[in-house]
């Protein structure tokens, strides 16, 4: 079975072709450069870019997969959550395609798809996924930070999320305070590699709370006050690296400590992570070190699949179809505020 998937929930326009758990082609057109000028995603511009890029991206994915449109057996798209008009572009294109070809259409929850992205590789990922459950999964990006208990395939429970900013937002906003370009996460990651993470002590909000919730706005505020009190620090490139490393260490410590605590409490053996912030090298290293220390097996999404992509949408949709979760809802609407159960 060949499945064509679309993703357009935020600032990445993506299409992928999937067959039997394998990604035959996955194309992503990122709008990061466009939004960088404005210091964040501008919804109106994002929508125009999705409209401009969706068909070229889908055409390229089909070409790279060596598949013609009439060979497609099913179509999927992100239904929510996300920017309303941005979601609409991918969803309506996918529904129109499915309707014209008289093929099943399936709408997918964006966060649920992230749960499956650590299994996307050249190999059919099914067996590995079956081995890797139940697991505790960290989804961490610019829009979301949450811990999910994946009990079995397609069965999961959200343990907790952020009560204010997402971790990626914290990277981007503290980076802005330091004068770094948007998105600052990857820049902080790079600068921090040569910095001393122990030099400045920043708060680790909610790290000792027994719940699975996160909070990052207090950390951002403490960086603001720190820079107010040390205004010359940004003139020194070495001190900037130390600052990046220290802020990053605080974010990573909270994410890893709470992930490991949840995994221990729930008695799982496996931990996974995905979402844009999972590209962060310190987070990847620290998750690995603490998983090894506490005897958990860790599975991380590949960096290229941590950020938003249609491959994860297609992989999840295929699993849903395989379980008879068939939807022909050509008129189904976007669900911008769809909360993962
Ligand atoms: O998943 P994503 O592409 O989009 C959503 O937010 O849904 O994630 C983007 C976020 C941004 O906040 C960006 O700064 C952060 O992921 N990010 C990173 C790194 N790469 C991307 N944060 C820290 N270190 C990185 N290497
Ligand atoms: Zn995402």
């Amino acid at each position: 079975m060949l499945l064509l998937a679309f993703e357009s929930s935020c600032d990445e326009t993506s299409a992928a072709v999937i067959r039997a758990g394998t990604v035959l082609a996955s194309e992503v057109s990122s709008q990061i450069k466009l939004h960088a000028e404005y210091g964040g995603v501008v919804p109106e511009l994002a929508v125009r870019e999705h409209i401009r890029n969706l068909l070229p991206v889908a055409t390229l994915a089909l070409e790279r997969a060596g598949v013609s449109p009439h060979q497609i057996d099913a179509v999927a798209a992100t239904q929510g959550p996300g920017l309303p008009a941005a979601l609409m572009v991918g969803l309506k294109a996918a529904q129109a395609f499915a309707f014209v070809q008289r093929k099943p259409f399936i709408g997918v929850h964006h966060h649920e798809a992230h749960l499956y992205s650590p299994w996307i590789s050249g190999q059919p990922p099914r067996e590995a996924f079956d081995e890797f459950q139940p697991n505790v999964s960290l989804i961490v990006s610019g829009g979301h930070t949450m811990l999910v208990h994946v009990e079995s395939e397609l069965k999961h429970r959200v343990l907790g999320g952020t009560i204010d900013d997402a971790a990626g937002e914290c990277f981007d906003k503290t980076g802005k305070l330091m004068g770094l370009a948007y998105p600052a996460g990857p820049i902080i990651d790079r600068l921090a590699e040569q910095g001393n993470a122990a030099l400045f002590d920043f708060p680790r909000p909610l790290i000792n709370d027994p719940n699975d919730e996160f909070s990052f706005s207090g950390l951002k505020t403490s960086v603001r006050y720190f820079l107010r009190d040390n205004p010359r620090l940004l003139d020194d490139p070495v001190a900037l690296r130390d600052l990046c490393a220290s802020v990053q260490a605080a974010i990573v410590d909270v994410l890893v400590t709470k992930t490991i605590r949840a995994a221990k409490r729930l008695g799982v053996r496996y931990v996974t992570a995905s979402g844009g912030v999972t590209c962060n090298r310190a987070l990847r290293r620290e998750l690995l070190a603490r998983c090894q220390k506490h005897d958990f097996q860790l599975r991380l999404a590949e960096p290229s699949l941590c950020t938003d992509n249609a491959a994860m949408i297609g992989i999840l949709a295929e699993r849903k179809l395989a379980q008879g979760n068939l939807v022909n809802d050509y008129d189904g609407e976007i669900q911008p505020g769809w909360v993962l159960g």
Side-chain angles (χ1 to χ4, degrees):
M1 191 196 73
L2 283 163
L3 188 142
L4 176 63
F6 293 90
E7 151 67 31
S8 68
S9 64
C10 188
D11 59 345
E12 262 101 23
T13 318
S14 179
V17 180
I18 313 291
R19 183 173 56 205
T22 299
V23 180
L24 300 184
S26 172
E27 297 302 322
V28 182
S29 169
S30 174
Q31 305 174 7
I32 280 186
K33 286 196 182 123
L34 173 76
H35 299 291
E37 203 182 316
Y38 303 92
V41 177
V42 183
E44 175 66 26
L45 295 181
V47 173
R48 282 193 223 164
E49 282 299 293
H50 284 311
I51 291 170
R52 205 190 323 266
N53 292 326
L54 193 83
L55 290 182
V57 160
T59 305
L60 202 57
L62 288 165
E63 272 173 20
R64 293 238 161 106
V67 166
S68 63
H70 70 267
Q71 288 179 285
I72 293 295
D73 300 301
V75 187
T78 308
Q79 198 158 1
L83 299 173
L87 284 168
M88 218 177 284
V89 179
L91 184 76
K92 291 298 155 191
Q95 287 169 328
F97 186 101
F99 172 74
V100 168
Q101 304 279 343
R102 291 288 187 268
K103 299 295 180 193
F105 167 78
I106 190 150
V108 167
H109 192 293
H110 180 88
H111 298 161
E112 189 178 6
H114 269 300
L115 296 174
Y116 293 80
S117 59
W119 277 271
I120 302 172
S121 66
Q123 295 298 313
R126 186 177 174 82
E127 295 77 7
F129 183 79
D130 287 349
E131 282 167 21
F132 236 77
Q133 50 188 274
N135 65 59
V136 162
S137 188
L138 173 70
I139 305 178
V140 61
S141 74
H144 23 269
T145 301
M146 61 175 77
L147 280 169
V148 184
H149 183 203
V150 179
E151 292 167 37
S152 59
E153 182 165 318
L154 304 182
K155 189 159 177 253
H156 51 256
R157 186 169 57 90
V158 175
L159 300 167
T162 179
I163 56 173
D164 41 53
D165 292 351
E169 218 176 334
C170 185
F171 270 107
D172 296 339
K173 287 180 176 171
T174 54
K176 191 174 178 188
L177 295 171
M178 297 178 211
L180 305 177
Y182 172 88
I187 305 172
I188 292 179
D189 181 348
R190 186 164 44 77
L191 294 173
E193 285 292 295
Q194 291 150 18
N196 178 357
L199 206 60
F200 306 115
D201 190 21
F202 287 105
R204 275 118 166 103
L206 302 187
I207 197 165
N208 292 318
D209 274 38
N211 59 39
D212 298 313
E213 286 179 344
F214 297 92
S215 164
F216 289 103
S217 72
L219 173 55
K220 176 188 65 193
T221 307
S222 81
V223 172
R224 186 191 300 278
Y225 289 145
F226 176 83
L227 287 170
R228 182 197 63 189
D229 299 340
N230 299 276
R232 307 311 308 255
L233 188 134
L234 296 179
D235 300 336
D236 176 358
V238 175
L240 175 63
R241 290 191 194 112
D242 294 337
L243 177 62
C244 286
S246 302
V247 172
Q248 177 177 272
I251 299 172
V252 166
D253 196 11
V254 172
L255 293 173
V256 177
T257 301
K258 301 206 83 160
T259 304
I260 298 290
R261 187 185 303 139
K264 274 189 187 170
R265 191 184 71 238
L266 292 161
V268 301
R269 288 177 50 216
Y270 307 109
V271 171
T272 79
S274 64
V277 177
T278 312
C279 294
N280 185 270
R281 284 169 287 181
L283 176 61
R284 298 176 84 85
R285 281 195 299 266
E286 195 59 24
L287 272 172
L288 186 61
R290 287 206 233 168
C291 279
Q292 281 173 345
K293 184 173 170 206
H294 296 281
D295 217 17
F296 294 116
Q297 282 188 50
L298 176 68
R299 186 139 178 157
L300 298 168
E302 282 174 24
S304 65
L305 293 161
C306 283
T307 46
D308 293 343
N309 62 83
M312 67 182 189
I313 304 299
I315 289 284
L316 172 59
E318 202 184 43
R319 289 170 189 281
K320 290 195 170 219
L321 286 169
Q323 290 207 2
N325 203 331
L326 195 63
V327 183
N328 271 325
D329 186 5
Y330 300 134
D331 295 328
E333 288 306 330
I334 53 163
Q335 301 208 36
W338 197 0
V339 177
L340 191 63

